[in-house]
Amino acid sequence: MLLLLAVSACALRAPPRHAISMSAGTPIRRRQLGTSDLVVSDVCLGTMTWGKQNTLEEGVQQLDCAFDEYGLNFLDTAEMYPVPTEAETQGKTDETIGAWLKKRGRRDDVVLASKICGASERITWVRGDGRGTRVTEADIVEGVEGSLRRLGTDYIDLLQIHWPDRYVPLFGSGTYDASQEREAVPFVEQLQALKKLVDQGKVRHIGVSNETPYGVCRFIQEHERDASLPRICSIQNSYSLLVRSDFESGLTETCAQTDVGLLAYSPLAGGILSGKYSGSKAPAGARLNLFPGFMDRYSQSLAKEAVVEYERVAAAYDVTPAQLALKWCYSRPHVASTIIGATSMDQLRENIDAFFLDDLPEGCLDAVADVYSRYRDPSKTS
């Protein structure tokens, strides 16, 4: 009760910026990613706004800052980026990265991750013949060849399947419904196609994204049946103060037992945990205002209520809402790297600086746990 009163009392005052404990030149930590030989920074630079909300020049500036000033070595893109995806801009993100790699002149100190599309009848502009996307051998090869051309490189360090070929409930759409099952490319066939690219040296390691415990186990099982097939080393799933129960209720154990590293994306839940949508008027350039309906799962009333509660916790412990959300994610033991994105240099610096904050005190973590106990799945749409 005393803790709740303290949180409420601090809720109305503006949270000051917490002092950063980073000393000059202190590098971001790095760790091995799963069973691979990739050693990645604990913070990964996300890129999905480049080519839509950010220009090529702005993307290059962000890369220079993240890699040269902060010591990141890890970035993540996708063939469908920027998002929201559309025919007119698809591939622009890769082109930005390609321009930076050419300017930089050093490829071997960059861990470059990309993703190929999963199954979609709607995205008809990514493949050359105008069909939708799948995870067949033809799709995988075409997707990788296109990405390599745009990126101006000979290889991708980590190639991920962006979402499954089979039916799974995605992006907060609710619980699994067996009646929605459809024909899908078998797991072994996906791995056989990926093996060809690995054997050719065009892909070094593979991972999955937006996956389930079942999917992770099936990919691992196929590798164990035939060790010549590549082994997934990572899973890139949404993970934040608002989206955590799906991972923690099954994937935490699955990934620990199989040594698959979590690449946590959307740690600020589309920006809603940054605090910029609080109050009567959010910035006109904010993503959820620019693209009505995009990530609308975070507009659910329960999600908004949960955000208010987390903002109260942040205020009580003298950090900004973004710092609370990011430091919490950075410090989770099962997170191999946290993918952050920004549309401005100020946002980029705040997001990376949060890594260097002092550890959140036990009382703060207790307050976070209390909010979570009351708002367990606030972004679920059904």
Side-chain angles (χ1 to χ4, degrees):
M1 178 62 71
L2 290 177
L3 174 62
L4 293 177
L5 288 174
V7 169
S8 299
C10 294
L12 298 180
R13 61 184 176 88
R17 185 177 178 82
H18 195 291
I20 301 300
S21 60
M22 178 181 66
S23 60
T26 300
I28 292 285
R29 289 196 310 260
R30 298 183 181 183
R31 68 181 74 193
Q32 184 175 346
L33 181 58
T35 55
S36 76
D37 61 2
L38 300 175
V39 178
V40 302
S41 48
D42 277 9
V43 183
C44 174
L45 184 59
T47 63
M48 72 178 190
T49 62
W50 302 351
K52 190 179 289 281
Q53 289 177 262
N54 289 105
T55 65
L56 183 149
E57 293 77 15
E58 289 169 340
V60 168
Q61 184 184 25
Q62 287 191 30
L63 282 160
D64 283 340
C65 175
F67 277 67
D68 297 336
E69 295 185 35
Y70 284 96
L72 272 67
N73 74 335
F74 194 19
L75 68 94
D76 177 74
T77 183
E79 64 170 337
M80 65 176 277
Y81 284 175
V83 296
T85 185
E86 57 184 359
E88 291 74 20
T89 56
Q90 184 259 324
K92 295 293 185 183
T93 300
D94 282 353
E95 292 172 6
T96 299
I97 296 167
W100 176 72
L101 287 172
K102 183 177 180 179
K103 176 180 80 77
R104 182 178 178 81
R106 303 191 306 278
R107 172 66 181 87
D108 58 359
D109 63 351
V110 175
V111 179
L112 173 58
S114 188
K115 302 183 287 292
I116 54 169
C117 294
S120 173
E121 295 180 353
R122 182 182 68 86
I123 304 176
T124 58
W125 54 86
V126 172
R127 300 290 168 251
D129 60 3
R131 69 184 187 278
T133 57
R134 294 293 303 276
V135 191
T136 65
E137 179 178 342
D139 280 274
I140 292 171
V141 171
E142 182 180 342
V144 169
E145 294 289 355
S147 293
L148 291 175
R149 284 195 301 272
R150 292 187 298 270
L151 292 164
T153 187
D154 296 328
Y155 65 96
I156 293 167
D157 294 286
L158 175 65
L159 181 68
Q160 304 151 99
I161 299 170
H162 206 153
W163 62 90
D165 189 79
R166 71 190 190 282
Y167 156 75
V168 295
L170 292 171
F171 311 121
S173 60
T175 57
Y176 171 80
D177 179 359
S179 69
Q180 300 299 311
E181 283 286 355
R182 58 173 183 260
E183 183 180 357
V185 179
F187 291 95
V188 65
E189 291 185 18
Q190 295 178 53
L191 289 177
Q192 288 168 343
L194 291 164
K195 179 183 186 305
K196 293 182 179 181
L197 292 167
V198 172
D199 290 345
Q200 293 168 6
K202 295 177 180 179
V203 170
R204 292 185 59 201
H205 298 281
I206 65 166
V208 292
S209 182
N210 299 298
E211 249 311 349
T212 67
Y214 172 75
V216 170
C217 290
R218 288 291 287 111
F219 277 115
I220 296 294
Q221 182 183 49
E222 294 299 341
H223 164 78
E224 291 178 343
R225 286 175 176 171
D226 180 356
S228 72
L229 296 176
R231 189 186 198 280
I232 63 170
C233 66
S234 64
I235 178 171
Q236 183 180 147
N237 274 30
S238 179
Y239 188 66
S240 69
L241 289 172
L242 294 185
V243 181
R244 51 183 289 198
S245 64
D246 280 350
F247 197 91
E248 293 177 355
S249 62
L251 275 164
T252 301
E253 178 187 16
T254 300
C255 291
Q257 294 296 328
T258 57
D259 200 3
V260 171
L262 170 61
L263 307 179
Y265 79 78
S266 206
L268 291 177
I272 193 170
L273 284 167
S274 70
K276 65 184 177 183
Y277 293 99
S278 300
S280 59
K281 188 176 182 181
R287 185 179 308 152
L288 303 191
N289 291 335
L290 285 176
F291 310 114
F294 181 60
M295 294 186 175
D296 58 1
R297 60 191 178 279
Y298 297 130
S299 298
Q300 303 291 316
S301 59
L302 283 180
K304 291 181 177 179
E305 290 176 18
V307 169
V308 170
E309 294 300 313
Y310 285 122
E311 288 175 350
R312 288 174 175 165
V313 174
Y317 287 92
D318 204 28
V319 293
T320 69
Q323 288 171 342
L324 172 69
L326 288 168
K327 186 61 181 181
W328 177 85
C329 194
Y330 291 147
S331 63
R332 298 302 88 196
H334 50 271
V335 174
S337 187
T338 301
I339 303 173
I340 55 98
T343 55
S344 72
M345 292 300 293
D346 285 344
Q347 288 177 344
L348 178 65
R349 292 182 186 281
E350 180 182 15
N351 289 352
I352 303 177
D353 282 347
F355 176 86
F356 297 98
L357 291 172
D358 295 331
D359 290 339
L360 297 173
E362 184 177 347
C364 182
L365 293 175
D366 288 342
V368 166
D370 175 70
V371 176
Y372 178 58
S373 71
R374 291 179 284 127
Y375 296 94
R376 190 170 177 81
D377 290 300
S379 67
K380 288 280 190 182
T381 57
S382 63

